[in-house]
Amino acid sequence: MTERDDEAVSKFIERFALVLADSGVPRMPARVFVALLASENGQLTAGELAEQLSVSPAAVSGAVRYLTQVHLIVREREPGSKRDHYRVRGNSWYESAMNRERLLTLWSEALLEGVDAVGRSTDAGSRLRESVEFFEFLRVEIPMVLERWRSRNATN
């Protein structure tokens, strides 16, 4: 087993955070999430995150708010402690994917309003209906994929 290389870890955090940011995750939440993923026990305080990432506590505050809303991390307080700890969920990717189902429903409902607004028989209406059909397809398929993932992990 090799010793943890803090410099290499910092580089990894920045590189993977950039990948997440290029995928649409806001940059600071991406950095905080990766720092938590790379931490030994998967949890850090806001102060520890600010220090490790060389950012202000306000930046960490906004990032953890975002990450808790999208179910990638949880906020906890240890008994007797006055500081919140932020912990990456063991199944964070799974939880995040499950949360997408709710978003797909919201998007579909909004798009259906658009279909009515632009007219069902127009080219725009056709494009919007196709988007609704795609999101409905994902709403059916994603839970099945996630169930296969859970079954696979249960046997490992």
Side-chain angles (χ1 to χ4, degrees), residues 100-148:
R100 296 291 182 245
E101 186 175 353
R102 183 181 67 78
L103 291 175
L104 292 172
T105 299
L106 293 172
W107 294 346
S108 292
E109 290 169 355
L111 283 164
L112 286 172
E113 288 179 29
V115 169
D116 290 340
V118 300
R120 295 185 77 72
S121 61
T122 65
D123 287 345
S126 178
R127 276 192 308 278
L128 295 177
R129 278 194 327 275
E130 183 178 344
S131 296
V132 170
E133 290 170 13
F134 177 69
F135 292 143
E136 293 302 316
F137 173 80
L138 290 177
R139 283 184 55 216
V140 170
E141 294 296 318
I142 288 173
M144 292 189 301
V145 168
L146 293 174
E147 183 54 39
R148 287 196 313 265

Side-chain angles (χ1 to χ4, degrees), residues 1-88:
M1 184 169 158
T2 61
E3 180 116 1
R4 184 177 176 94
D5 180 340
D6 289 336
E7 185 176 332
V9 170
S10 291
K11 287 179 182 178
F12 161 73
I13 289 169
E14 296 306 323
R15 275 194 303 270
F16 191 39
L18 279 175
V19 170
L20 292 175
D22 287 346
S23 302
V25 177
R27 182 145 165 69
M28 186 54 61
R31 292 179 72 210
V32 167
F33 179 66
V34 178
L36 287 167
L37 272 179
S39 69
E40 192 59 32
N41 64 0
Q43 82 174 24
L44 296 166
T45 66
E48 290 167 334
L49 284 162
E51 182 179 332
Q52 180 175 354
L53 299 172
S54 299
V55 297
S56 72
V60 171
S61 176
V64 297
R65 186 174 27 255
Y66 173 87
L67 292 168
T68 55
Q69 288 173 348
V70 297
H71 306 285
L72 285 173
I73 67 171
V74 294
R75 181 177 66 172
E76 299 174 331
R77 185 165 287 181
E78 301 207 355
S81 174
K82 294 182 180 185
R83 291 185 294 175
D84 289 332
H85 288 78
Y86 299 96
R87 180 177 55 82
V88 68

